[in-house]
Amino acid sequence: MKARSLFEKWATMFVACLAFTALRAVAAVPPIEDFTRHPAIDSATISPSGKRLALLMFAPSGLRRAVVMNLDPVGEGRVVAEYGDADVTSVRWIGDDRLVYEAFKRGAEVDDGGAGTFAVDHDGGAQRQLIAWRRSIGEIPGTRIVARILPYGWSVRSSIDDGSNDVFVYRNVRDSVGDLKNVELARLSTTNGTLRTLSEGMPEGTRRWLLDPQREPRMVDAYRGGREHLYWRKTAGAAWDEVADFDPLGDADFSPWFIGDKNEVYVSATSANGTDALYRFDPVAKRVEADPVIGVTGFDLDAGRVVDTQTGRLVGVHFTTDRPTSYWFDEALQKIQNGVDAALPKGRSNRIACSRCESTRFFLIHSSSDRQPGEYFLFDRKKASLEFVGASRPWINEATQGTRTFDRIKARDGLEVPVYVTHPPGAAVDQALPAIMLVHGGPYMRGSNLQWEVEAQFFASRGYRVLQPEFRGTVGYGQRLFKAGWKEWGRAMQDDLADTVKWAADRHLIDPARVCIVGASYGGYAALMGPISTPGVYRCAASFAGVTDIDLMYSIHWSDFSEDSRRYWMPVMLGDRKTDAARLAAASPLKRVAEIKIPVLLAHGGVDRRVPIEHARKFASAAKDAHVPLEQVEYLEEGHGFFDPANHTDYYQRLEKFLEKALLGMQ
């Protein structure tokens, strides 16, 4: 009977592997480099009047450069910023004729002077450095002139679009241990470097500024002693009046969002159904109005505002439900949205970008879906026409990409957990496939939506069905899901993952005997904790940059966790280092490594400051002592993610072979 049982098990596996191999043959498997190479167009932004387009594109050298093209008529692109040893990482318009951009030398860590912020005209002329990543800026060599370049700590906040060449900049002021103390706001000329402070008399601990339509500070958000304080002033230059004081982790908190063209104040606050919505706030009565301006059932409204930069009117909002969505308060803009949606392929999310939205002729459209990484179009309001600009990843064949679906499942305690599933191309809905449990990082952040996603599509292209639960602790779906994750590392948060596997198996989506848990950062932690907290659910585990010892998050002071984080939010959301010591130890993979009975792939960046490499090295040593089947790799020049596509490719190659061996029995 034993011999027959083994034969039946082998035969079942053989048949499943044949089906899996046939599925992978439905379409040519894309090379790994398709997923790890830099996009052809990294980003695009349109000038205020819509006359010009600025794009970040990769040069043959593999470094990003800034390219500008005219739109009326559409002309050839011209390079306005490019370096032989650095990436142009962001670009924004100051006006129609001038831009500001940032450049960084490639790598996980930036050397002194290895980054900066610059301004340049649309034709590449009149370039000027605004900010240098140096602690101090002295005299210009050979003169007694002090350079008008801001030192490290300053950043560009936003453009102004008032006819000047000025931008708003801010400076992070830190205390003796490096924690953020306050944020100072100023106005900077990109032509001559003149700086005018807007921070005189600001409340202690100010972190965030809201400006009125006249571009004057009217509301600030301050943090002191673990509490949040909101201040308002009736007119520019008046004294600041405290209008709210609350625990930012409490139930009565809200976040300032926007000041409208009639000085009405909008805030983001929790609605009666537990999700965040947009409300008006009365700073005189010091209260949030009862009815929301806009909200979305089942999702937090984490809205990006669309404001006409000339009129100051709030004309629309961008937000994400299960996919990117827009809502336009302006009827003409909503009509344009409807026309664009009708003209482009069904199932696309089409996000419209504009500055002077009410008067501009040209709009930039970013169009994407679960199978399309992203394409850019121009909409001409005068001609009511669309013109193709380019694709972010033109080498991606949509036919080789998986489709994505969204569900909400019930966890074992009844909590509703959102789940995204990526289905390999050609896979039947009821075909029980080997699966990847892909755990997002954070963990207190949103993980996914229905748009194209590199890692999920990489696994799907190899024939795996990919499960991505938005487990408890995830934000974006309401306070109940978020707060249910507090102090649940290694416990209910892991149960949500296991419950997702059971749900998928019950629906014949996956083969429950062939599931690997994979993730990075918190996801890497969950991958290592999975075979400990829920043994028997997973066949293998792969962790990149994963936390292995929760206590190290409190004790390693060269990580980038702030003292405020350790003092205020970590004890509440993660656990108190003293009173919850036993609980935190039980939830640390390092402390329970001997319980792992499945193969583990462990990867880490050598200069990771978020989760220092000591986490991986201590775990690897303990795993070897416990005879855990371990494959370890270190990428010494990488940080908390991949900068070098070659390293990213190497990791995916290792991961591909690791999965084939563990889930398919291939050598």
Side-chain angles (χ1 to χ4, degrees), residues 296-334:
V296 183
T297 302
F299 296 90
D300 289 327
L301 185 75
D302 185 12
R305 54 185 175 265
V306 186
V307 179
D308 187 291
T309 56
Q310 284 198 320
T311 67
R313 282 205 327 124
L314 179 67
V315 294
V317 289
H318 296 313
F319 55 95
T320 300
T321 54
D322 60 351
R323 69 198 72 205
T325 307
S326 298
Y327 178 84
W328 298 96
F329 301 109
D330 184 278
E331 291 184 7
L333 293 171
Q334 184 61 55

Side-chain angles (χ1 to χ4, degrees), residues 11 16 28 43 175 221 230 255 419 439 449 491 502 572 638:
S43 68
D175 60 21
D221 201 351
L230 301 185
S255 178
V419 176
V439 189
N449 58 57
R491 293 175 177 77
K502 183 179 184 303
V572 174
E638 299 287 4

Side-chain angles (χ1 to χ4, degrees), residues 49-50 71-73 332 336 357-363 378-386:
S49 74
L71 301 181
D72 188 18
I336 290 174
C357 303
E358 296 174 273
S359 59
T360 189
R361 174 180 171 182
F362 292 100
F363 297 82
L378 282 177
F379 176 76
D380 185 334
R381 193 199 316 238
K382 182 178 179 180
K383 296 180 179 178
S385 63
L386 278 173

Side-chain angles (χ1 to χ4, degrees), residues 451-470:
Q451 297 307 96
W452 189 88
E453 194 172 288
V454 168
E455 200 158 22
Q457 291 291 358
F458 163 68
F459 290 126
S461 73
R462 270 58 191 161
Y464 301 104
R465 207 174 308 262
V466 185
L467 310 177
Q468 293 176 273
E470 303 281 67

Side-chain angles (χ1 to χ4, degrees), residues 625-647:
D625 290 343
H627 305 291
V628 174
L630 177 73
E631 179 183 342
Q632 183 188 13
V633 58
E634 295 181 353
Y635 298 98
L636 296 180
E637 295 182 354
E638 299 287 4
H640 200 62
F642 288 103
F643 281 85
D644 187 342
N647 287 335

